[in-house]
Amino acid sequence: NAGVTQTPKFQVLKTGQSMTLQCAQDMNHNSMYWYRQDPGMGLRLIYYSASEGTTDKGEVPNGYNVSRLNKREFSLRLESAAPSQTSVYFCASSESGSGELFFGEGSRLTVL
Amino acid sequence: AQSVTQPDIHITVSEGASLELRCNYSYGATPYLFWYVQSPGQGLQLLLKYFSGDTLVQGIKGFEAEFKRSQSSFNLRKPSVHWSDAAEYFCAVGAKSGGFKTIFGAGTRLFVKA
């Protein structure tokens, strides 16, 4: 049982380049989330999708876009990467109302 | 909007000693509260959660937490720490607004000494 799968696991970009982080879950969850983790700041919510077809901004949405492609997949796009977006990105999913988040293993992004 | 404060950036305890990790939250309505644990290089795993009812909740790995509304706190405890408990611990508060939006504290790193 794969759970939540993120790709790629590692990526190095130059300032101004674009990229998309992919996330897929096989637990039939309605809700999906993107967080970033930075030292001393915990996890900060970038965007979330309560259900297929909906997306909402979290705490730090600037510089990011998301797409809920279908119930399984939720992608995060950086249109023009900046060094401040160097971070570890986590995708998570949950069943509506349960509150429990199931996390992927993370994607480490470095922007030079 | 909800927020979470974990006052201790890191804590060191001896193996076998008791542990308490502090968490204070801010939220206007009844909060949904969580503790997660993260081992190095891994994602987060749920330890326990509080939605309603008994204010003392039991979780996995021998952890428990107590919800105190008057103090806006949800502290995590364990009576006897094992070396394998060394990890980073995150308190989180959830709110239902359309979907379920969960906000995390900055985390507390636990070191266990022999």
Side-chain angles (χ1 to χ4, degrees):
Chain A
N1 189 355
V4 178
T5 303
Q6 297 179 227
T7 56
K9 288 186 168 41
F10 300 93
Q11 183 73 50
V12 178
L13 293 176
K14 294 181 179 178
T15 297
Q17 288 184 318
S18 62
M19 77 156 297
T20 300
L21 296 174
Q22 307 284 357
C23 175
Q25 52 92 10
D26 62 3
M27 295 173 282
N28 202 36
H29 287 165
N30 286 316
S31 302
M32 297 186 73
Y33 306 78
W34 277 106
Y35 288 88
R36 60 177 289 175
Q37 183 175 26
D38 303 289
M41 304 191 75
L43 280 80
R44 292 180 291 170
L45 182 62
I46 304 171
Y47 272 94
Y48 66 108
S49 171
S51 60
E52 187 178 353
T54 69
T55 61
D56 285 287
K57 295 179 180 179
E59 301 170 275
V60 289
N62 291 344
Y64 304 95
N65 287 300
V66 291
S67 296
R68 184 73 183 267
L69 305 171
N70 48 57
K71 190 172 185 178
R72 289 187 63 248
E73 299 173 287
F74 188 40
S75 64
L76 178 71
R77 183 162 178 82
L78 287 69
E79 291 290 352
S80 179
S84 61
Q85 294 178 304
T86 293
S87 188
V88 180
Y89 292 85
F90 285 97
C91 179
S93 69
S94 74
E95 186 51 56
S96 297
S98 82
E100 178 177 0
L101 295 170
F102 292 82
F103 285 85
E105 294 185 348
S107 298
R108 183 175 293 276
L109 174 65
T110 300
V111 183
L112 303 175
Chain B
Q2 69 259 52
S3 66
V4 179
T5 301
Q6 293 181 249
D8 303 305
I9 297 172
H10 55 80
I11 282 182
T12 301
V13 299
S14 298
E15 191 169 17
S18 63
L19 170 71
E20 183 169 26
L21 301 182
R22 297 183 291 163
C23 172
N24 293 97
Y25 69 90
S26 174
Y27 185 57
T30 300
Y32 300 87
L33 297 164
F34 308 84
W35 275 99
Y36 285 83
V37 61
Q38 184 182 34
S39 297
Q42 302 295 315
L44 279 72
Q45 179 186 22
L46 180 70
L47 282 176
L48 47 78
K49 65 182 179 183
Y50 171 79
F51 277 18
S52 63
D54 193 346
T55 57
L56 184 64
V57 294
Q58 303 296 321
I60 62 172
K61 304 184 181 185
F63 286 92
E64 66 179 25
E66 186 171 12
F67 170 57
K68 293 185 177 180
R69 184 186 298 275
S70 62
Q71 298 177 19
S72 298
S73 69
F74 189 56
N75 294 348
L76 181 71
R77 301 193 294 248
K78 187 170 185 178
S80 178
V81 168
H82 188 262
W83 65 266
S84 60
D85 293 323
E88 190 152 22
Y89 292 81
F90 294 93
C91 182
V93 58
K96 281 191 175 182
S97 56
F100 203 101
K101 180 180 175 184
T102 302
I103 301 299
F104 287 79
T108 297
R109 181 165 294 280
L110 173 65
F111 297 96
V112 180
K113 60 181 180 181

